[in-house]
Amino acid sequence: MATTTMAAALGSGLRRAMEDDPRVVLLGEDIGRLGGVFRVTDGLQRDFGADRVMDTPLAEAGIMGVAVGLAYRGFRPVVEIQFDGFVYPALDQMVTQVGRLHYRTGGTVRMPVTIRIPYGGGIGAVEHHSESPEAYFAHTPGLRVVSCATPQDAHTMIRQAIACDDPVVFFEPKRRYWVKGSVEDEVLDDALPLDRARVVVEGTDVTLVAYGPLVVTARDAALAAADDGLSIEVIDLRSLSPLDLDTVETSVRKTGRLVVTHEAQRSGGLGAEIAASITERCFSLLHAAPVRVTGFDVPYPPAKLEEHFLPDLDRLLDAVDQVMGRQHSLTGWSA
Amino acid sequence: MLRSDVSDGRALPTTEEPPDPELVQLLAPDGTRRADPVYDAWVEDVDAERLLSLYEDMVVARRFDVEAVALQRQGQLGLWPPLLGQEAAQIGSARALRPDDFVFTSYRENGVAYCRGAAPVDLVRVWRGNALAGWDPWAIGMATPQVMIGAQTLHATGYALGCAKDGVDSVAVAYFGDGATSKGDVHEAMVFASSFAAPVVFFCQNNQWAISEPVGLQSRHPLADRALGYGIPSVRVDGNDVLAVMAATRVALDRARRGEGPSFIEAVTYRMGPHTTSDDPTRYADPEVREQWAAQDPIVRVEQHLHTRGALSEDRAQEVKEHAEAFAMELRDATYGMTAPEPLTVFDHVLVQPSAELERQRSQYAAYLAMFEGTSGGDE
Ligand SMILES: Cc1ncc(C[n+]2csc(CCOP(=O)(O)OP(=O)(O)O)c2C)c(N)n1
Ligand SMILES: [Mg+2]
């Protein structure tokens, strides 16, 4: 057991995957000598060679299409998209090729491509460096979409993603890259499967569903609410597609209240999907309508405004008050 | 304050239309064999018998293509993209390939698929709407044809990189049209292929049209010139000359096998039919131009050449015709014999491990369909 940052845990996960399977190759911009702009691939080109850790031309559609061709040839490509906002040029190949070839070919051609995307805000960045585009991919059949929230999950989930025969879009919460945690070299078969959510705090009053960068915030909210006498169950969703609705449903059957949070814009987002699905499944058990705490329906704002865009501890607690039927921002406070 | 150096309005430099550079041509439209100092050597082995075999494939391709158009007219196929006029470009290139090479094409390359060994039923499956793929890519070394214009050029490049990593001398070939050369994917493919010296051949069939748009709208310069900007050697070849196409393809394949990287071939041809069976070229194509191209027919010139050499006996010509007829009839029978896929297969193969949610949707829909079982309103 070692204590490392999430970035290092991802790096060691990639290293393990490359050791385990010689068909694993890495492609991306600046991932070789530089080790990636976040240093996640630090040292991998030195140790595995430029043939397996390839710096590519600066062209995301090209990277993604070439990864498709490599997969056709029987490789397991791992693509690094430098920042969330730069995945859009690759969107075409992801949606029309990566996510469909297995279906198109009646199961003949597999696309075991892993697409790593550092994502999310909170780092004071310029435009296109703070986006949360996960809903586009979750809406696309044939792609698995996951996000890690801890160094341990980062390490294990990246290995699971690479070993998976389906394409996996792997969202890395970049503002948590430097958060430290203990990391064990888990046996993949013993680890929680990639498509399963995890209850990270048990509770009885409210189910709070989060993923990626906001899992830490949700845990903090549970702690703060506990001081207030409220018991919050926090679920780290981990898999954004397919959704582990069974785990969420089990929790909501117990609590009768649901709050979902993500940084991504609200409309048509994952929160909507989760709220709708859980309402369908548990309508008669709900004590309150589900509440979403999300980014607003605006393009990602400039850095000096991002604190207003991003869900934070207080906004989560406000939503908890709302589902508890307490006074909250919409009712106003009377003495 | 604005700081600016706007030009004072001199006239734009006029660009002369560049002269049409010489096409590589070994068989003239009248069947005359033209000597070529470079390319002759690459088809030295193509004696009368082999040429006859290329001829036969072109005749078969034209015949089943015509059959498929007829099947569409009869309502048996939803759509068909005719290859009429492009037989030499497709057969000449595809026949140069080895079985271990891998081909990534667009939708019109049914002549290529035939050469790779696709069965008649595999050629029509997609166009009848029964499936999204016709054949098993691994079985014939040919990917499922691409509908997204240009996307497959990147797949070919990636596959080629994989061949190089595997240390084999197999080559990936990307087929695409003149319209596709405007797509970013095609340009990015050339960037990657050039940077990594990928063993890939970019085979562009310039059939002069992208639906209704003439090639001049895609490029003011010969398409082959585009490759030069990426440091990729390119050649323009008479796409209606099966020998020249084969020679140029062999040169490119050889370059790739020797580790010398990609090549670009522009096969200059003409789409003699509509874009697809849904198209109406009378709205945009000049019939006189079509007539000029008809005089350059890829099959007629080989026929004439073989006749001159006394290599196409009446019996042999009859055999070729019968073979083509038989293949077309197989295609017809296969089309009529196809049964619609089972409704619940719509859920199959989204993921290798199906998700619980999709399994739920499947079982709910199965229950819904079951309601109609035994009622008169159901299927069939
Ligand atoms: C990305 C994309 N845009 C538009 C279309 C619609 N479309 C289908 S074929 C075609 C023309 C393609 O022309 P070309 O590349 O020259 O190939 P050809 O049809 O002549 O073989 C168009 C615009 C498409 N299939 N894909
Ligand atoms: Mg065209």
Side-chain angles (χ1 to χ4, degrees):
Chain A
M1 173 115 52
T3 300
T4 65
T5 63
M6 180 185 286
L10 285 162
S12 63
L14 289 168
R15 178 178 293 276
R16 270 301 300 274
M18 295 188 77
E19 287 164 357
D20 290 349
D21 185 349
R23 304 303 278 177
V24 174
V25 292
L26 274 49
L27 294 88
E29 295 158 9
D30 308 294
I31 67 168
R33 268 205 173 170
L34 183 65
V37 294
F38 293 105
R39 309 294 184 266
V40 168
T41 54
D42 188 33
L44 295 180
Q45 190 183 62
R46 181 195 60 216
D47 296 342
F48 293 95
D51 212 35
R52 291 189 67 194
V53 181
M54 299 172 66
D55 272 332
T56 65
L58 205 170
E60 290 77 12
I63 296 171
M64 202 62 64
V66 161
V68 169
L70 282 164
Y72 247 114
R73 178 74 204 171
F75 286 86
R76 283 185 184 269
V78 182
V79 165
E80 175 174 310
I81 298 293
Q82 200 159 65
F83 283 87
D84 36 56
F86 308 130
V87 74
Y88 301 118
L91 199 66
D92 172 10
Q93 286 282 341
M94 291 173 74
V95 172
T96 69
Q97 311 298 331
V98 177
R100 288 193 198 189
L101 267 156
H102 190 253
Y103 189 77
R104 181 183 298 155
T105 60
T108 310
V109 176
R110 293 182 174 185
M111 280 290 126
V113 181
T114 303
I115 300 150
R116 297 181 37 237
I117 308 179
Y119 90 113
I123 60 162
V126 298
E127 200 185 353
H128 311 300
H129 293 72
S130 301
E131 318 247 317
S132 296
E134 62 271 18
Y136 297 118
F137 303 104
H139 192 66
T140 303
L143 298 175
R144 291 180 183 272
V145 184
V146 304
S147 183
C148 55
T150 65
Q152 179 66 66
D153 265 358
H155 177 88
T156 302
M157 287 170 73
I158 193 66
R159 290 175 56 203
Q160 290 173 315
I162 294 169
C164 178
D165 285 331
D166 293 314
V168 180
V169 188
F170 196 96
F171 281 100
E172 301 172 0
K174 68 168 95 75
R175 68 167 141 143
R176 308 296 184 200
Y177 267 154
W178 316 116
V179 170
K180 286 189 173 170
S182 60
V183 174
E184 239 181 289
D185 201 13
E186 286 183 285
V187 178
L188 288 193
D189 286 342
D190 298 343
L192 185 64
L194 192 58
D195 59 359
R196 292 280 303 282
R198 178 185 279 124
V199 176
V200 292
V201 177
E202 288 190 23
T204 51
D205 294 326
V206 177
T207 299
L208 175 53
V209 175
Y211 56 87
L214 290 178
V215 173
V216 174
T217 318
R219 280 172 169 274
D220 291 346
L223 276 179
D227 289 343
D228 220 7
L230 281 180
S231 168
I232 297 196
E233 179 142 305
V234 178
I235 295 179
D236 175 0
L237 204 53
R238 296 176 8 120
S239 178
L240 315 186
S241 179
L243 287 168
D244 181 2
L245 290 168
D246 290 349
T247 295
V248 181
E249 179 183 345
T250 303
S251 175
V252 173
R253 283 183 176 279
K254 180 171 62 176
T255 63
R257 298 179 187 88
L258 173 66
V259 174
V260 188
T261 186
H262 49 65
E263 290 186 12
Q265 287 79 356
R266 172 169 308 183
S267 297
L270 279 160
E273 182 55 43
I274 293 165
S277 295
I278 292 303
T279 304
E280 279 180 0
R281 291 182 182 209
C282 310
F283 182 68
S284 61
L285 298 168
L286 289 174
H287 304 313
V291 170
R292 290 167 287 167
V293 184
T294 68
F296 303 116
D297 287 347
V298 300
Y300 201 87
K304 295 292 186 222
L305 285 175
E306 71 179 338
E307 64 174 300
H308 300 289
F309 175 89
L310 293 170
D312 62 9
L313 178 64
D314 289 328
R315 280 177 65 196
L316 289 184
L317 291 174
D318 188 48
V320 166
D321 284 339
Q322 196 174 332
V323 293
M324 289 305 299
R326 299 179 169 191
Q327 291 183 331
H328 59 96
S329 55
L330 298 178
T331 56
W333 281 271
S334 52
Chain B
M1 194 185 73
L2 175 70
R3 293 168 53 73
S4 152
D5 295 277
V6 176
S7 97
D8 54 9
R10 276 187 297 262
L12 286 168
T14 56
T15 44
E16 296 275 310
E17 281 296 320
D20 197 22
E22 279 280 309
L23 294 183
V24 177
Q25 188 185 70
L26 302 180
L27 273 184
D30 65 1
T32 314
R33 179 72 165 84
R34 290 245 173 99
D36 186 291
V38 177
Y39 289 93
D40 278 349
W42 291 89
V43 283
E44 243 173 11
D45 60 314
V46 184
D47 54 17
E49 198 47 42
R50 287 205 186 170
L51 189 56
L52 221 152
S53 152
L54 291 169
Y55 167 77
E56 177 159 21
D57 281 0
M58 290 198 289
V59 172
V60 172
R62 179 168 293 184
R63 179 64 190 88
F64 77 67
D65 187 64
V66 165
E67 190 62 32
V69 171
L71 285 164
Q72 193 281 333
R73 299 296 182 225
Q74 292 156 17
Q76 291 299 316
L77 298 179
L79 188 75
W80 182 261
L83 60 81
L84 187 66
Q86 299 179 220
E87 295 86 354
Q90 297 194 11
I91 306 300
S93 54
R95 285 281 300 267
L97 304 178
R98 291 195 323 219
D100 61 306
D101 294 330
F102 209 86
V103 178
F104 293 82
T105 71
S106 186
Y107 42 81
R108 202 183 300 286
E109 283 68 59
N110 287 301
V112 176
Y114 170 74
C115 290
R116 297 304 283 168
V121 65
D122 292 342
L123 294 173
V124 286
R125 224 187 284 282
V126 167
W127 306 101
R128 192 167 163 93
N130 276 35
L132 300 176
W135 51 79
D136 175 350
W138 315 122
I140 67 168
M142 177 164 173
T144 301
Q146 185 57 241
V147 178
M148 294 297 295
I149 296 297
Q152 76 279 13
T153 56
L154 282 167
H155 307 164
T157 303
Y159 189 94
L161 284 176
C163 292
K165 286 185 197 305
D166 285 338
V168 298
D169 71 348
S170 312
V171 174
V173 184
Y175 285 85
F176 53 99
D178 46 294
T181 65
S182 294
K183 285 286 295 184
D185 279 6
V186 176
H187 290 263
E188 292 189 16
M190 288 197 272
V191 169
F192 276 72
S194 176
S195 293
F196 296 115
V200 56
V201 176
F202 295 105
F203 192 91
C204 175
Q205 290 176 86
N206 175 1
N207 65 3
Q208 315 297 323
W209 295 104
I211 309 186
S212 71
E213 297 189 348
V215 63
L217 188 62
Q218 314 296 342
S219 175
R220 297 280 303 273
H221 289 273
L223 299 176
D225 287 4
R226 297 194 147 166
L228 300 179
Y230 301 104
I232 297 176
S234 71
V235 61
R236 298 186 89 217
V237 57
D238 182 344
N240 286 8
D241 172 353
V242 73
L243 258 194
V245 170
M246 176 172 267
T249 309
R250 284 175 163 185
V251 170
L253 290 169
D254 184 63
R255 181 178 291 135
R257 292 198 210 290
R258 283 191 284 110
E260 289 176 19
S263 309
F264 185 106
I265 298 169
E266 178 187 351
V268 181
T269 178
Y270 195 80
R271 198 195 74 207
M272 296 296 285
H275 169 65
T276 65
T277 45
S278 300
D279 180 37
D280 176 11
T282 64
R283 294 175 74 99
Y284 56 84
D286 182 349
E288 272 180 38
V289 174
R290 189 183 181 281
E291 280 318 300
Q292 288 160 21
W293 280 94
Q296 320 239 355
D297 189 86
I299 295 182
V300 170
R301 73 176 75 182
V302 180
E303 221 162 50
Q304 292 193 337
H305 177 79
L306 288 171
H307 276 310
T308 320
R309 286 171 71 169
L312 187 60
S313 67
E314 251 175 54
D315 284 357
R316 195 68 179 88
Q318 187 57 28
E319 260 176 52
V320 167
K321 228 180 136 187
E322 279 165 16
H323 175 195
E325 197 58 26
F327 192 90
M329 286 309 109
E330 251 189 273
L331 184 130
R332 159 170 292 266
D333 293 345
T335 304
Y336 274 92
M338 231 176 265
T339 50
E342 290 299 320
L344 292 179
T345 60
V346 73
F347 295 101
D348 289 349
H349 305 302
V350 178
L351 295 171
V352 176
Q353 299 297 327
S355 74
E357 171 58 22
L358 191 60
E359 289 306 289
R360 228 172 122 95
Q361 292 177 24
R362 183 203 297 268
S363 61
Q364 283 179 1
Y365 190 61
Y368 173 80
L369 288 181
M371 288 195 319
F372 300 100
E373 264 167 31
T375 66
S376 55
D379 276 7
E380 314 301 293

